[in-house]
Amino acid sequence: MDSRSSDAAVLPPAARTPLRSTADNALKIVVVGGFGAGKTTLVGSVSEIRPLATEEVMTRAGIGVDDPSAVRDKRATTVAFDFGRITLSAESVLYLFGAPGQERFWFLWDRLFTGALGAVVLVDTRRLDESWYAIDRLEHHGTPFVVARNNFEPPRHSLAEVREALDLSPGVPLLDCDARDRESSKQVLIELVRHLYARAEAEHPHRVELESAP
Amino acid sequence: MTRVGQPARDDDPDRLYTVTGGRSQAPQHAFDVVTLIVSEDEPQPGMQSEHARILRLCARPTAVVEVAAELGLPVSVVKILLGDLLEAGRITARHPRFVPAQAKLPDLDMLKQVLHGLQKL
Ligand SMILES: Nc1nc2c(ncn2[C@@H]2O[C@H](COP(=O)(O)OP(=O)(O)OP(=O)(O)O)[C@@H](O)[C@H]2O)c(=O)[nH]1
Ligand SMILES: [Mg+2]
């Protein structure tokens, strides 16, 4: 893990781009996928900062610790993840997290996903099996998500075939992307937010009326 | 659950222990990884260097994860340091407005705002 985090080196303070002083509401979207699926690339291509790496301390039981003595006792280990951000307005800023999707990282997800708007599952079709667990878990957790196929080479299968191979529910959006391309990565995020919007509208048909009442 | 293939970092335990003064108390204040931290005070002479760095960093709003990345410390350790500063009134915390315990999905206005923000990119 630790060698992997080196590809998103920490910026020197001089190169930091601070948020506006009016920023007061941060939102989260998580990008999950197997090793090398293009998570850091996608985050980096839409982020206004270079992806930053950080880590979380985890106990062997899989619970994030706020207890450094557990670290001292070597009962804990660290897991690296990276993130970028997009300023949405004077008040709102969206943080994008790139997180490994394999089963053994589930404890990291629980921590990061709490409060996330939704997730993007980034799929490398040469290694479809690395996405199964992520999809399964998101579905069980009820976290809204879209699946994006990152095309490292010209695709050899139709999206319908990919949908079948992943056993995706019909309601889950599936699209192609090039994680290196800003516009393409942006479309993936837009697709997710549209999906969220449709779900929010369907699940809370009265919410708009309630909120607009005086 | 085993942690095969994830070596513990040898240099970390003692460093983390020192930074947090060996405390094992969970912080009283729940910070989200994207809670925005704002300094309310200048660094003081003699202050613990991590505290001083946080105050300099958060002259403008800075998310907890950004503080962690800049300090090169794990998020949970940074939360302890932030708890100290919050208790001392040296920082304020702007928590995310979307709290999933209250709503499974964010409200439509917020989603519209996100969509507009992304489309402008
Ligand atoms: N051809 C091609 N290469 C890509 C694409 N996306 C990413 N890559 C390359 O694939 C490699 C892995 O991409 P990363 O973004 O580091 O993947 P990751 O999911 O963050 O990887 P880990 O964090 O190591 O699991 C890098 O060398 C990228 O430059 C793509 O759409 N097409
Ligand atoms: Mg990566």
Side-chain angles (χ1 to χ4, degrees):
Chain A
M1 279 311 296
D2 299 302
S3 59
R4 287 179 180 278
S5 62
S6 61
D7 65 346
V10 172
L11 288 172
R16 285 191 73 242
T17 316
L19 290 175
R20 289 180 225 181
S21 52
T22 47
D24 68 356
N25 186 34
L27 305 156
K28 288 181 272 194
I29 286 176
V30 186
V31 180
V32 294
F35 282 126
K39 303 178 293 292
T40 304
T41 306
L42 188 144
V43 169
S45 69
V46 286
S47 175
E48 67 198 22
I49 55 170
R50 213 165 81 203
L52 291 168
T54 186
E55 60 191 16
E56 183 56 299
V57 182
M58 295 288 162
T59 65
R60 219 175 283 158
I63 301 156
V65 285
D66 298 308
D67 177 359
S69 67
V71 183
R72 193 177 177 77
D73 296 349
K74 308 243 184 208
R75 278 184 279 129
T77 188
T78 59
V79 177
F81 61 96
D82 48 30
F83 64 93
R85 71 163 200 241
I86 299 168
T87 294
L88 297 170
S89 67
E91 296 81 29
S92 297
V93 55
L94 175 64
Y95 282 84
L96 298 172
F97 289 94
Q102 292 85 347
E103 185 165 4
R104 63 184 184 281
F105 299 115
W106 66 267
F107 48 86
L108 176 65
W109 292 23
D110 281 347
R111 182 162 278 217
L112 295 180
F113 281 179
T114 305
L117 300 177
V120 172
V121 178
L122 200 55
V123 171
D124 175 354
T125 42
R126 296 167 300 183
R127 280 171 290 181
L128 268 188
D129 56 312
E130 291 204 355
S131 317
W132 288 336
Y133 182 79
I135 289 168
D136 215 45
R137 191 160 175 93
L138 289 168
E139 267 176 354
H140 278 98
H141 201 258
T143 304
F145 66 99
V146 300
V147 179
R149 170 169 69 175
N150 193 17
N151 288 313
F152 288 83
E153 53 193 40
R156 282 179 291 135
H157 303 281
S158 69
L159 284 178
E161 286 167 331
V162 173
R163 179 178 290 280
E164 186 163 1
L166 289 173
D167 197 20
L168 274 190
S169 308
V172 177
L174 170 66
L175 69 164
D176 277 310
C177 84
D178 182 336
R180 298 163 301 177
D181 182 66
R182 182 179 170 85
E183 191 57 33
S184 178
S185 300
K186 177 180 139 183
Q187 287 309 321
V188 171
L189 297 178
I190 287 175
E191 185 71 23
L192 173 64
V193 179
R194 289 220 173 96
H195 178 58
L196 287 164
Y197 195 89
R199 276 186 57 159
E201 242 178 355
E203 285 182 23
H204 306 281
H206 305 301
R207 183 178 280 189
V208 178
E209 287 163 41
L210 288 174
E211 282 185 353
S212 57
Chain B
M1 169 153 265
T2 54
R3 304 252 64 84
V4 178
Q6 290 180 65
R9 289 162 50 139
D10 296 335
D11 58 328
D12 269 352
D14 286 330
R15 178 167 166 240
L16 301 188
Y17 192 80
T18 308
V19 161
T20 58
R23 281 161 303 150
S24 59
Q25 193 80 17
Q28 306 297 307
H29 319 278
F31 294 100
D32 191 89
V33 288
V34 296
T35 294
L36 299 174
I37 306 299
V38 185
S39 307
E40 300 295 340
D41 204 356
E42 302 287 321
Q44 306 297 322
M47 196 179 240
Q48 187 182 342
S49 69
E50 284 81 9
H51 284 154
R53 283 185 70 191
I54 291 171
L55 291 183
R56 275 192 294 272
L57 205 56
C58 300
R60 295 271 283 274
T62 307
V64 170
V65 275
E66 288 181 88
V67 176
E70 292 290 337
L71 264 59
L73 289 170
V75 171
S76 34
V77 171
V78 165
K79 285 180 180 175
I80 294 174
L81 296 170
L82 291 172
D84 298 339
L85 291 168
L86 192 69
E87 232 155 74
R90 296 207 150 99
I91 58 165
T92 46
R94 300 174 180 176
H95 297 290
R97 271 181 233 153
F98 172 53
V99 181
Q102 292 165 10
K104 192 87 186 160
L105 286 159
D107 65 70
L108 295 174
D109 281 344
M110 192 184 277
L111 289 173
K112 255 185 217 162
Q113 211 190 75
V114 177
L115 200 55
H116 290 156
L118 288 173
Q119 280 162 342
K120 274 190 308 191
L121 271 186

